[in-house]
Amino acid sequence: MDFWLDVKCANFLESAIEKTEEQFRTHFGHQHPLELLDNLPTDPIFCCVCGKYPSDPTYGCLECHFFVHRSCFERSWPEEIQHFYHPCLLTLSENCIPNTFCRACRLLLPQGTAFYGCKRCNFVMDVGCTFLASTEYAGNQEQVGHFLHGHPLSLSKIEESNQIDCYLCEKPCNGTAYGCGKSGCEDVYFHKSCVDETQQEILSIRHTQHPLTLLDHHLTPSRCNSCHGFIERFTHFYQCAICNFNLHWKCNVKAATEYEGHNHPLILWENIDNYYGLKCDKFQITTTIKETEEQFRTHFGHYYPLVLLDILPTDPIFCCVCGKYPSDPTYGCLQCHFFIHGSCFERSWPKEIQHFYHPCLLTLYKDCMPTIRCGACRRHLPLGAAIYGCKPCKFFMDVGCTFLASTEYAGNQEQIGHFVHGHPLSLSKIEESNQIDCYLCKKPCNGTTYGCGRSSCKDVYFHESCLDETRQKIYNIHHPQHPLTLLDHHIISSRCNSCREFIKDFTHVYGCDKCDFNLHWKCNVKAAIEYEGHNHRLQFGTNIGNYSVLCRACSSTIECKSHVIRCLSCKDFNLHLECGPLPYRIKDKCHIDSLTLTNSLGEHEDETDDEFYCDACENKRDPRLPTYQCQECQYVAELKCVISEVISTLAGEYGDAELRSPLGQLGRVLLINPKDAKHMIQNKEDQLLQPLPASRSLSDILDSLSEAEKKELLSSGLQIRGSEIVTGNPFDDEKILQFSDESYSHFMKFLHHGESFYEEFQLDGNIHKYYSFKLDLDDKVVYVGDHMVTRKYASIIRSLLSKHGDVSVGSSTSSPELKMCFFHVLCECIYSMSNTSVVEITDDKLVKWWRSLIILQSAGFRIEFAFDRLKRVAHAHFGAYVRKLVDKTRQELDRDIEALTEKRKRIIVAESAKSSLVVECLREAEVLKQSKAGSRLL
């Protein structure tokens, strides 16, 4: 499961560690921790529960401007609430998704925040706006809650000089009006008459089928069925959701006229598209008064009537049919920038057309739906306009872009049509001073390039080489299931499987229409990495983007902007450069001979040395990291000094190359050309048709063990338990400070007979409890020689067999499955030891290693070499603890001595300045010290 934490949240959590529970609390209504504020912000703030200005102690998130009284903190929030702003019940939800807006204040809700909403109506309000105190509107009140606005409205007196318009009728507000005083709604005022006369639900003569409901939170771009203008966001309008019928509030007040020449009511319009007439809302039929039929015509390719233009616009315009600048009489719609020659007006439009920009046939549709954008010019298409499109691919083009004259790309031509862009591209020469980048590779365009000269595509230029090398359909080795198609009209929010960055709209991307697999054009590299440590091919990346991920090998963070080796199919498999497979041999300018990857010190180096140096930069190096060495010359170079050669090799610049991981796992770089990729993918598809042999996993092996084998496996740990069990701490601090050998003996006894050593060995039938490390039960089992082992540990077994022979020769275990379980314990131990530095070893981890080797030794495995190393490590761990304890004790004693010395000095100073009363008391003590208390009384 992916887990992400942005920097802001991480900072909240870090600062919260040092705070008490009273100073720092979490609340389900907000995704960030809330802090008890000593000083409130100077800006006006409100409690999100009661809506009042905080007067008592307040918890808040300054980053999100979220505040709640301490007295309101424990208040229970109702699961459902009836709000004056929405006719349906609002339900409490505790986890806001991204890009959600509050319909009252129109502000973006922080992700994870609690909110009230109506899913059926797609209506959301934040908690603060929901809980603002209000009353239902009922006449002349000082403050009212009305369905026209999401916040309470207060009665105000408006001066004429203020020039404030009513939010409904858009006429000036003079005298008494209702207004909202919250931040962000300073311009929201309503005439009292508009508030009184407006109804939340009406019956309209323009739409007799269903009632119309008043809304002001329209999100989907639509047009008013009366004036045909776009309904802007947060504009008041009446809607029938069933019929998708919409009316501006101001259009609903226009009078309707019955006309014997038409079946529906007509509306009088005084100034629309240069004509004066009566218009039908439903069919856009108009009875013109001033214009002749020749001057005013309708065309199925556009939603609005077209007017014969006497004067053409000064901006460049093109005929939507032939694509040329109008030279003869032209009809046009100035509002939508739609023009057509008089000679082209009667031209027949083909029902289907093959366009260079899309591989499928495009079909003519004569009634464009809302929210559709042209894939070529990226403009929203007018409601009802004719369009060409491919519905299965959700691809559409307006008529003008579809009919632009072009030819298929075939070499060096003055104008071409290419699938990377929806308009014809013209050959251009770019000066260096223009600073124009290629739309594909994002590198500067210098010299000859192809560009689009249309107004909406002024920044679209391409290198000729990029056009030549780009293919519309590719076969990628990282996605062998299906071919990938080049798109640049990506609408659905997705991430690139390589760089993990979001794919922006109209970015060139290779995508699979059957799987959620996408690659930026620049991320489609030809090099792949085959690696024993993972089932899929990997890809090397030079930049992981603006976020961090976890390394699968060392479990530490791979910082943003770092190099990474990752799997494009498994989104959580990432490796540090130094943790993954590296080139086994490289040739670098820093040394005359080839250098070999090594994960240990050089033969000429002694691990007892305190410092180790890189011969390339002559600086200190970390001996725990892999290096490149020339043993013959006793030359050692750290990774960062040969990084350019390493990166070039992994990126495939030198072709195929042998790789090794720090643990000896094998790999190689494959440079795959498109033809080979296609052949490999087709073979993969053929194999999918054949029955494959079942691969066994680690879980299958464990479950297949007989009861006798399970008992033998578990008893291997129990039979070495012995009679003595050491309890408590592995270290006896008192004896350690005496530098006694008894302290070391106690430590070693704990490793051999520690109580935690045996506590997991319970014969309850669950064989999985046998292992002290995290198991990957789905890991596939492979053969290395005659031995079965999981794929993850194949390289470790291979190295063991090569260096130490078959360590299981002395084992009495005959079952291959049972022997594999013992080998798995050994590999887990060696893998964990190889990824842990000595200074990072914990008591628990050392005990687990020791336990594993004792189990294997008792089972007859010849692992003296591993025990010899672990004993040295145990000695080092004991010595490190001794040094730490001694240093800590000395520091504490030094502090105590210093404190006592200071106290002695203060006593000496005070004694020299003692008072006469104290002197008298001291003298009496000296005189009477030998006498009895009752002397001379009798």
Side-chain angles (χ1 to χ4, degrees):
M1 181 180 70
D2 290 346
F3 178 81
W4 303 91
L5 195 66
D6 63 29
V7 175
K8 179 174 66 175
C9 294
N11 289 337
F12 273 122
L13 293 176
E14 185 177 4
S15 65
I17 294 174
E18 300 178 357
K19 296 180 180 292
T20 66
E21 185 178 356
E22 182 63 23
Q23 292 174 305
F24 176 83
R25 301 179 69 181
T26 57
H27 192 276
F28 80 93
H30 194 64
Q31 85 276 29
H32 297 142
L34 303 182
E35 187 177 355
L36 186 61
L37 302 175
D38 299 324
N39 299 316
L40 297 178
T42 56
D43 300 336
I45 63 174
F46 301 92
C47 171
C48 71
V49 178
C50 66
K52 298 179 181 179
Y53 185 84
S55 55
D56 60 0
T58 297
Y59 288 96
C61 172
L62 296 174
E63 187 74 22
C64 302
H65 217 67
F66 183 93
F67 304 95
V68 57
H69 284 134
R70 183 159 64 178
S71 57
C72 295
F73 199 92
E74 305 298 337
R75 172 176 171 179
S76 61
W77 294 11
E79 294 187 2
E80 290 185 333
I81 193 170
Q82 182 66 63
H83 198 274
F84 58 81
Y85 189 40
H86 191 70
C88 307
L89 278 175
L90 303 183
T91 304
L92 178 64
S93 300
E94 297 183 8
N95 193 6
C96 174
I97 62 174
N99 300 323
T100 300
F101 286 85
C102 170
R103 299 300 172 79
C105 61
R106 289 82 185 271
L107 296 178
L108 187 67
L109 272 67
Q111 185 175 353
T113 303
F115 65 93
Y116 281 92
C118 173
K119 287 187 177 180
R120 185 170 63 88
C121 303
N122 195 22
F123 178 89
V124 173
M125 283 182 72
D126 64 37
V127 175
C129 292
T130 306
F131 281 147
L132 280 178
S134 62
T135 58
E136 291 294 335
Y137 178 67
N140 187 13
Q141 302 173 359
E142 290 298 320
Q143 190 182 59
V144 301
H146 197 277
F147 54 78
L148 284 173
H149 189 61
H151 302 141
L153 303 176
S154 300
L155 205 57
S156 309
K157 191 169 183 179
I158 309 297
E159 303 294 336
E160 291 188 15
S161 58
N162 288 349
Q163 297 181 342
I164 295 175
D165 293 338
C166 174
Y167 211 64
L168 266 180
C169 66
E170 300 179 4
K171 296 179 181 179
C173 287
N174 298 325
T176 303
Y178 281 102
C180 178
K182 279 187 66 69
S183 175
C185 304
E186 294 90 346
D187 60 340
V188 177
Y189 283 87
F190 299 92
H191 289 126
K192 188 173 181 303
S193 58
C194 291
V195 172
D196 290 334
E197 296 170 5
T198 301
Q199 299 177 12
Q200 194 166 14
E201 189 172 86
I202 64 169
L203 296 173
S204 175
I205 192 174
R206 296 166 178 77
H207 186 72
T208 57
Q209 295 90 330
H210 311 102
L212 304 181
T213 304
L214 185 68
L215 304 173
D216 78 333
H217 47 83
H218 198 68
L219 296 180
T220 306
S222 296
R223 292 185 183 272
C224 172
N225 284 62
S226 183
C227 69
H228 305 295
F230 274 111
I231 298 176
E232 298 178 2
R233 239 175 133 182
F234 306 118
T235 300
H236 286 89
F237 72 104
Y238 284 100
Q239 182 186 70
C240 173
I242 300 173
C243 304
N244 193 24
F245 182 90
N246 306 291
L247 279 179
H248 283 122
W249 179 90
K250 60 183 179 181
C251 294
N252 179 59
V253 300
K254 293 183 179 293
T257 303
E258 297 292 340
Y259 175 57
E260 62 181 6
H262 190 65
N263 294 331
H264 305 110
L266 301 179
I267 311 301
L268 182 65
W269 291 94
E270 298 179 355
N271 187 14
I272 179 169
D273 295 337
N274 297 327
Y275 69 91
Y276 180 97
L278 295 172
K279 194 174 206 180
C280 170
D281 282 345
K282 188 170 184 180
F283 292 108
Q284 293 78 51
I285 298 176
T286 304
T287 304
T288 60
I289 297 176
K290 293 189 176 181
E291 303 291 352
T292 64
E293 183 179 353
E294 184 62 29
Q295 291 173 306
F296 177 81
R297 301 179 67 182
T298 57
H299 191 275
F300 78 93
H302 195 63
Y303 188 75
Y304 299 130
L306 303 181
V307 177
L308 184 61
L309 302 175
D310 299 325
I311 301 176
L312 296 178
T314 55
D315 298 334
I317 63 174
F318 301 90
C319 173
C320 71
V321 179
C322 66
K324 298 179 180 178
Y325 186 83
S327 54
D328 57 2
T330 298
Y331 290 91
C333 173
L334 296 174
Q335 181 181 355
C336 301
H337 216 68
F338 182 93
F339 304 95
I340 182 172
H341 283 136
S343 56
C344 294
F345 201 93
E346 303 299 337
R347 174 178 170 176
S348 61
W349 293 10
K351 292 184 178 180
E352 290 185 331
I353 193 170
Q354 182 66 64
H355 198 274
F356 59 82
Y357 189 41
H358 191 71
C360 308
L361 280 174
L362 303 182
T363 304
L364 177 64
Y365 299 99
K366 297 183 180 180
D367 191 9
C368 175
M369 298 298 292
T371 72
I372 290 181
R373 297 173 73 176
C374 172
C377 65
R378 289 83 185 268
R379 290 175 175 169
H380 279 287
L381 298 174
L383 181 66
I387 55 171
Y388 280 93
C390 172
K391 284 189 176 180
C393 301
K394 297 180 181 179
F395 176 84
F396 300 94
M397 289 179 67
D398 64 34
V399 176
C401 293
T402 307
F403 282 148
L404 282 177
S406 62
T407 58
E408 290 294 332
Y409 178 64
N412 188 14
Q413 303 172 5
E414 290 298 321
Q415 190 182 61
I416 61 171
H418 196 281
F419 53 78
V420 299
H421 189 62
H423 302 142
L425 303 175
S426 301
L427 203 59
S428 310
K429 191 167 185 180
I430 307 298
E431 303 295 334
E432 292 187 16
S433 58
N434 289 347
Q435 296 181 339
I436 295 175
D437 294 336
C438 174
Y439 210 65
L440 273 176
C441 68
K442 310 302 180 186
K443 296 179 180 179
C445 289
N446 298 323
T448 303
T449 61
Y450 281 94
C452 178
R454 288 180 64 86
S455 59
S456 59
C457 308
K458 293 179 181 178
D459 59 341
V460 177
Y461 286 86
F462 300 91
H463 290 125
E464 187 173 14
S465 58
C466 290
L467 295 182
D468 290 335
E469 296 170 3
T470 302
R471 299 291 178 264
Q472 194 165 16
K473 182 177 287 188
I474 64 167
Y475 295 86
N476 189 280
I477 198 64
H478 294 288
H479 187 69
Q481 295 89 335
H482 313 103
L484 306 179
T485 304
L486 184 68
L487 307 170
D488 80 332
H489 46 82
H490 200 74
I491 303 299
I492 301 174
S493 179
S494 299
R495 288 185 184 269
C496 170
N497 282 59
S498 176
C499 68
R500 306 289 199 265
E501 294 289 343
F502 275 110
I503 297 173
K504 299 177 181 178
D505 284 359
F506 305 112
T507 299
H508 285 89
V509 57
Y510 281 105
C512 175
D513 58 355
K514 299 178 181 178
C515 310
D516 184 21
F517 188 92
N518 304 285
L519 289 176
H520 284 119
W521 181 88
K522 63 180 180 180
C523 294
N524 176 43
V525 297
K526 298 177 182 178
I529 296 174
E530 284 190 342
Y531 178 47
E532 269 189 336
H534 193 59
N535 296 331
H536 305 130
R537 291 184 175 89
L538 308 178
Q539 187 181 72
F540 169 70
T542 56
N543 188 341
I544 68 169
N546 295 315
Y547 59 94
S548 301
V549 294
L550 286 180
C551 173
R552 176 62 73 91
C554 66
S555 299
S556 60
T557 302
I558 305 176
E559 300 296 337
C560 59
K561 305 295 184 183
S562 302
H563 304 302
V564 66
I565 297 173
R566 68 178 7 146
C567 176
L568 273 61
S569 300
C570 306
K571 296 181 180 179
D572 61 345
F573 188 91
N574 305 279
L575 296 172
H576 280 114
L577 189 63
E578 57 269 20
C579 293
L582 294 171
Y584 185 56
R585 286 188 177 86
I586 61 170
K587 188 74 176 67
D588 192 81
K589 60 183 179 181
C590 69
H591 190 65
I592 190 171
D593 299 325
S594 296
L595 301 177
T596 303
L597 179 68
T598 308
N599 195 42
S600 59
L601 299 177
E603 294 181 355
H604 62 286
E605 294 179 312
D606 190 344
E607 64 180 5
T608 61
D609 293 343
D610 294 330
E611 297 178 345
F612 299 88
Y613 288 86
C614 170
D615 294 320
C617 63
E618 299 183 352
N619 293 323
K620 289 183 182 180
R621 64 178 174 86
D622 188 343
R624 297 171 296 177
L625 298 179
T627 57
Y628 281 90
Q629 300 183 15
C630 175
Q631 298 291 357
E632 185 177 342
C633 303
Q634 296 186 352
Y635 183 91
V636 180
E638 57 185 334
L639 184 60
K640 68 179 183 180
C641 290
V642 293
I643 192 67
S644 59
E645 287 298 310
V646 171
I647 290 175
S648 298
T649 304
L650 292 175
E653 295 180 15
Y654 301 143
D656 294 357
E658 182 183 1
L659 304 178
R660 295 280 177 90
S661 76
L663 293 178
Q665 292 166 308
L666 303 180
R668 59 174 178 155
V669 175
L670 297 175
L671 194 61
I672 304 171
N673 63 49
K675 291 183 179 179
D676 291 338
K678 180 178 181 180
H679 179 69
M680 294 171 71
I681 290 173
Q682 288 175 342
N683 286 345
K684 176 79 174 179
E685 292 175 346
D686 294 340
Q687 293 172 8
L688 293 176
L689 300 177
Q690 304 297 328
L692 296 176
S695 298
R696 302 178 74 186
S697 66
L698 176 58
S699 180
D700 298 331
I701 296 294
L702 293 178
D703 294 337
S704 68
L705 295 178
S706 65
E707 290 301 321
E709 289 172 331
K710 290 180 182 179
K711 187 173 182 180
E712 180 182 350
L713 181 61
L714 292 171
S715 64
S716 62
L718 294 173
Q719 66 184 355
I720 59 169
R721 176 171 180 166
S723 59
E724 181 184 3
I725 296 179
V726 180
T727 60
N729 195 301
F731 300 104
D732 187 336
D733 291 355
E734 195 63 37
K735 292 182 178 179
I736 285 177
L737 293 176
Q738 298 173 12
F739 293 93
S740 167
D741 288 348
E742 292 183 30
S743 61
Y744 174 77
S745 299
H746 177 81
F747 171 70
M748 295 305 295
K749 281 183 179 180
F750 189 88
L751 290 183
H752 279 282
H753 307 287
E755 184 177 23
S756 63
F757 189 104
Y758 305 100
E759 60 188 10
E760 295 182 30
F761 283 87
Q762 302 295 330
L763 292 176
D764 60 357
N766 187 356
I767 195 67
H768 298 171
K769 286 187 176 181
Y770 180 82
Y771 293 94
S772 53
F773 304 95
K774 184 179 179 181
L775 289 175
D776 186 357
L777 297 175
D778 294 328
D779 200 3
K780 299 301 181 183
V781 175
V782 297
Y783 275 93
V784 177
D786 296 330
H787 301 289
M788 289 192 298
V789 67
T790 57
R791 180 189 294 271
K792 178 179 180 180
Y793 297 135
S795 62
I796 296 178
I797 292 293
R798 188 185 300 111
S799 298
L800 286 175
L801 294 175
S802 174
K803 192 171 184 178
H804 304 285
D806 188 355
V807 297
S808 67
V809 167
S811 173
S812 60
T813 302
S814 58
S815 165
E817 287 80 7
L818 187 56
K819 187 176 290 188
M820 182 217 144
C821 293
F822 284 113
F823 264 118
H824 198 84
V825 173
L826 178 61
C827 292
E828 280 181 329
C829 181
I830 294 176
Y831 182 85
S832 179
M833 290 175 65
S834 301
N835 283 287
T836 308
S837 64
V838 175
V839 295
E840 295 172 345
I841 295 174
T842 62
D843 299 341
D844 183 58
K845 187 169 288 189
L846 185 62
V847 168
K848 288 181 178 179
W849 295 342
W850 199 273
R851 180 183 73 178
S852 299
L853 295 187
I854 289 180
I855 290 172
L856 292 163
Q857 199 175 52
S858 70
F861 277 62
R862 298 175 179 176
I863 52 169
E864 292 77 10
F865 65 94
F867 249 127
D868 291 341
R869 177 63 184 176
L870 187 55
K871 287 175 183 177
R872 289 193 63 188
V873 170
H875 288 181
H877 183 67
F878 178 80
Y881 184 85
V882 171
R883 174 55 54 201
K884 182 179 179 181
L885 179 62
V886 170
D887 290 344
K888 178 184 177 183
T889 305
R890 282 177 175 173
Q891 291 173 2
E892 291 175 351
L893 291 174
D894 289 341
R895 285 196 297 268
D896 292 343
I897 292 171
E898 184 179 356
L900 292 171
T901 302
E902 287 296 323
K903 188 175 182 179
R904 183 176 183 277
K905 289 179 181 179
R906 290 195 299 271
I907 292 173
I908 293 173
V909 172
E911 185 180 17
S912 63
K914 55 184 174 291
S915 66
S916 59
L917 177 60
V918 174
V919 171
E920 176 64 22
C921 292
L922 291 172
R923 188 185 65 79
E924 290 290 354
E926 187 66 26
V927 171
L928 298 178
K929 66 181 181 182
Q930 300 297 334
S931 62
K932 294 182 178 180
S935 296
R936 299 183 182 181
L937 291 179
L938 299 176

